[in-house]
Amino acid sequence: MTSDTADAPRLFWFRDDLRLDDNPGLVAACEGKAPLVLLYVLDDSEDGTRRLGGAARWWLHGSLGSLSRDLAALGQTLIIRRGPARDVVRDIVAETGVRRAFWNRRYAFAGDLDSDIAADLEKAGCATETFSANLLFEPDAVRSGKGEPFRVYSAYWRAAQRTGEIRNPVTPPKALPPPLPDLSGEPLDALALLPTDPDWAGGLRDAWQPGESDASERLESFLADRVAAYAKRRDFPADPATSKLSPHLRFGEISPVRIWHATADMREAQKFRSELGWRDFAWHALAQAPDMARTNLRDEFDGFPWAAPDEEILRAWQMGRTGYPIVDAGMRQLWQTGWMHNRVRMVVASFLTKHLLIDWRHGEQWFWDTLVDADPANNPFGWQWVAGSGFDAQPYFRIFNPVLQGQKFDPDGAYVRAFVPEIGDLPDRDIHKPWEASPMELKAAGIELGVDYPTPIVDHREARERSLEAYQEMRQAD
Ligand SMILES: Cc1cc2nc3c(=O)[nH]c(=O)nc-3n(C[C@H](O)[C@H](O)[C@H](O)COP(=O)(O)OP(=O)(O)OC[C@H]3O[C@@H](n4cnc5c(N)ncnc54)[C@H](O)[C@@H]3O)c2cc1C
């Protein structure tokens, strides 16, 4: 390396790794004294990445604000720019004379885009160095004995753990090289990530604080108070039993490697750690099928006879007005807080695809727009898993009964009462099936069914038969 290159400014490009702790690319970029450009690019061009939905944009605003403040405390500046990443990165390198660029790796379509950008930069005389930072095991690192990727989680996870030690986390830099004077970006507000007219984000503000420090506090409190009961209580949506780290992980405010090592000596954390394995597995699947948000992983589902789109029915599901309390509670939790409990995600996704026979892509898109943790791998993976079209999926013919799911996982109705308050005065016996309450009970609870709360939009038994027939039709056509 010439001294010219050693003194030239360096670039670290932040993407889904909005943190200082355990950020290998950032640490490498900080070696030496050359000035450092710290860049974030908001790319809505859909070239290699998916345009973020509304709730995720709200989160991103908070996360970038928090990162900017943390960097400012170390004398640095986050340069925020907008536009197709390929153009923005190429331009900033030309503008600043950067000769070495660093980033943490992305995968699937985003990985292809990064390879194109690296090739552009090499041509312009700028070397690139990339790092593993956001998964425990990168998608290509886990292979069967025959060198094949996996389609079954249990085999994948066994093989992953045989591939060797997970790297040690790196500590955050104590000091950062100076910024380049006179280099400017856009103010965060100019990205217009927050909703204004109307401002629907009140519930999100009440529920969350994006940013690295809240992520690590959440991990600490989870490990101190809740991890021991996680395996037993994680399916009960009224319990604060899970970590709620998903949006922090989605935006890389906390590293899975940091979490892995923080739980190394906790036997009781095994189940929790295996959920991080599912996250890796979803990325392993996305790397095999980058179009997973649009294309069935099992192609016999291409012939599935989904119902013709019915806006009114879809709207009832989206707004939590199906008449099935556990489904409605989940959909309202999502709308109000930008998050939904995992068990209930499975129930509402099953209800959409099986009871309503609506193509899973409609649900996936709604989640993409409304979840603060909307994730390019986990979201389509979760939808295809429930719909039956995915890798290692739940069989299509396993159809959740929303009443039984409610009674089993929300036995005293606390979750339903929190999000469907208009039926909150029904006795526990009826809370998951208000249509079976007696006229006297309904009156005592102040409910007129069909007026204050809907009657079920489909009958469970009929819907179940219809969806099993649709499944048979697909199998016969295949
Ligand atoms: C239809 C459907 C859609 C989903 N969409 C998303 C999504 O867009 N983003 C997302 O992060 N998760 C998604 N999930 C997975 C799961 O519901 C959430 O990760 C989990 O509810 C987040 O809550 P938590 O952080 O408290 O999880 P915890 O139980 O505390 O788990 C810790 C972490 O492990 C990962 N994890 C947990 N469960 C899963 C899982 N089943 N699959 C993959 N990773 C998992 C998450 O990163 C999570 O934060 C979806 C699941 C379904 C059924």
Side-chain angles (χ1 to χ4, degrees):
M1 195 198 317
T2 65
S3 60
D4 180 31
T5 306
D7 297 339
R10 293 171 165 211
L11 169 79
F12 178 73
W13 178 17
F14 281 103
R15 295 95 65 83
D16 294 331
D17 48 8
L18 303 177
R19 63 175 183 269
L20 300 182
D21 178 50
D22 190 37
N23 192 327
L26 176 65
V27 168
C30 287
E31 280 163 19
K33 294 205 166 55
L36 179 63
V37 176
L38 296 173
L39 175 69
Y40 182 83
V41 182
L42 179 68
D43 181 353
D44 285 334
S45 67
E46 301 253 324
D47 175 12
T49 50
R50 193 168 169 189
R51 188 181 191 278
L52 293 182
R57 292 172 97 76
W58 174 85
W59 188 283
L60 177 64
H61 179 98
S63 194
L64 290 175
S66 162
L67 179 65
S68 297
R69 287 189 293 279
D70 292 347
L71 293 173
L74 295 170
Q76 254 288 0
T77 308
L78 182 65
I79 303 292
I80 299 176
R81 296 217 173 156
R82 236 184 318 184
R86 198 165 174 176
D87 300 344
V88 174
V89 175
R90 190 193 51 221
D91 291 351
I92 207 159
V93 164
E95 185 183 334
T96 55
V98 160
R99 305 289 294 276
R100 290 177 75 187
F102 299 77
W103 61 70
N104 295 315
R105 286 192 281 278
R106 301 187 291 192
Y107 311 99
F109 283 129
D112 296 343
L113 171 65
D114 288 348
S115 302
D116 290 343
I117 294 175
D120 289 351
L121 297 192
E122 299 281 342
K123 264 192 231 148
C126 172
T128 53
E129 287 176 45
T130 70
F131 299 82
S132 165
N134 293 325
L135 293 175
L136 300 172
F137 301 98
E138 294 191 281
D140 289 351
V142 187
R143 287 287 181 267
S144 70
K146 289 189 188 145
E148 305 279 333
F150 289 91
R151 290 173 159 239
V152 174
Y153 171 75
S154 51
Y156 163 82
W157 191 229
R158 273 195 305 275
Q161 289 174 302
R162 277 198 307 267
T163 59
E165 292 283 303
I166 292 172
R167 68 174 175 82
N168 281 320
V170 294
T171 50
K174 286 202 176 62
L176 295 172
L180 262 191
D182 303 331
L183 182 68
S184 60
E186 300 206 41
L188 179 53
D189 286 341
L191 303 185
L193 294 167
L194 299 179
T196 47
D197 190 18
D199 171 10
W200 43 256
L204 277 63
R205 283 193 291 273
D206 291 345
W208 303 99
Q209 181 63 55
E212 184 169 2
S213 61
D214 204 67
S216 48
E217 274 168 33
R218 221 176 249 283
L219 175 63
E220 265 174 42
S221 76
F222 174 69
L223 296 184
D225 306 331
R226 307 199 298 286
V227 71
Y230 177 83
K232 272 203 185 127
R233 302 301 301 170
R234 60 186 285 272
D235 270 320
F236 294 82
D239 280 13
T242 69
S243 71
K244 285 195 154 185
L245 281 167
S246 52
H248 298 289
L249 277 161
R250 159 66 183 85
F251 287 92
E253 296 167 358
I254 193 162
S255 125
V257 172
R258 174 64 71 198
I259 300 175
W260 185 263
H261 285 282
T263 52
D265 299 327
M266 299 181 170
R267 277 169 60 95
E268 68 276 26
Q270 209 172 335
K271 181 72 190 156
F272 174 66
R273 289 172 133 209
S274 81
E275 296 305 320
L276 294 175
W278 276 102
R279 176 174 179 270
D280 271 25
F281 185 54
W283 280 98
H284 185 76
L286 191 72
Q288 293 174 61
D291 208 25
M292 190 162 72
R294 281 180 292 226
T295 307
N296 293 307
L297 295 175
R298 292 175 52 194
D299 55 16
E300 71 262 32
F301 273 79
D302 293 351
F304 193 90
W306 300 112
D310 180 327
E311 276 305 315
E312 216 175 297
I313 298 265
L314 182 60
R315 199 76 193 141
W317 176 81
Q318 290 171 337
M319 290 294 110
R321 297 202 53 78
T322 67
Y324 284 94
I326 190 78
V327 174
D328 294 341
M331 297 309 293
R332 295 186 198 185
Q333 180 179 33
L334 174 61
W335 185 246
Q336 286 166 31
T337 71
W339 186 87
M340 194 195 302
H341 186 276
N342 180 61
R343 165 61 46 182
V344 193
R345 290 187 204 206
M346 294 195 285
V347 171
V348 304
S350 171
F351 191 83
L352 185 81
T353 52
K354 299 174 185 180
H355 285 75
L356 303 180
L357 274 187
I358 293 181
D359 190 329
W360 60 265
R361 294 166 189 85
H362 290 283
E364 197 276 344
Q365 183 60 46
W366 181 253
F367 270 32
W368 181 258
D369 211 23
T370 51
L371 276 171
V372 286
D373 64 24
D375 184 88
N378 277 0
N379 195 41
F381 183 89
W383 275 94
Q384 294 220 40
W385 188 87
V386 176
S389 61
F391 288 169
D392 205 6
Q394 166 168 262
Y396 181 87
F397 53 79
R398 193 168 299 152
I399 298 172
F400 282 136
N401 178 330
V403 175
L404 297 184
Q405 287 288 309
Q407 289 171 336
K408 184 165 177 196
F409 295 111
D410 185 32
D412 60 3
Y415 179 70
V416 162
R417 287 190 174 88
F419 292 101
V420 193
E422 66 270 33
I423 59 169
D425 288 337
L426 281 175
D428 293 359
R429 194 181 59 247
D430 300 324
I431 191 84
H432 292 291
K433 42 181 173 102
W435 59 92
E436 285 191 10
S438 68
M440 252 170 51
E441 280 167 341
L442 286 171
K443 194 161 180 235
I447 305 164
E448 191 179 338
L449 270 191
V451 176
D452 304 305
Y453 183 71
T455 50
I457 54 171
V458 284
D459 173 76
H460 168 67
R461 207 166 296 164
E462 284 169 18
R464 185 170 187 282
E465 303 267 291
R466 196 168 64 122
S467 79
L468 290 175
E469 279 164 22
Y471 179 64
Q472 281 314 325
E473 200 182 307
M474 175 192 87
R475 302 233 330 176
Q476 277 154 14
D478 190 37

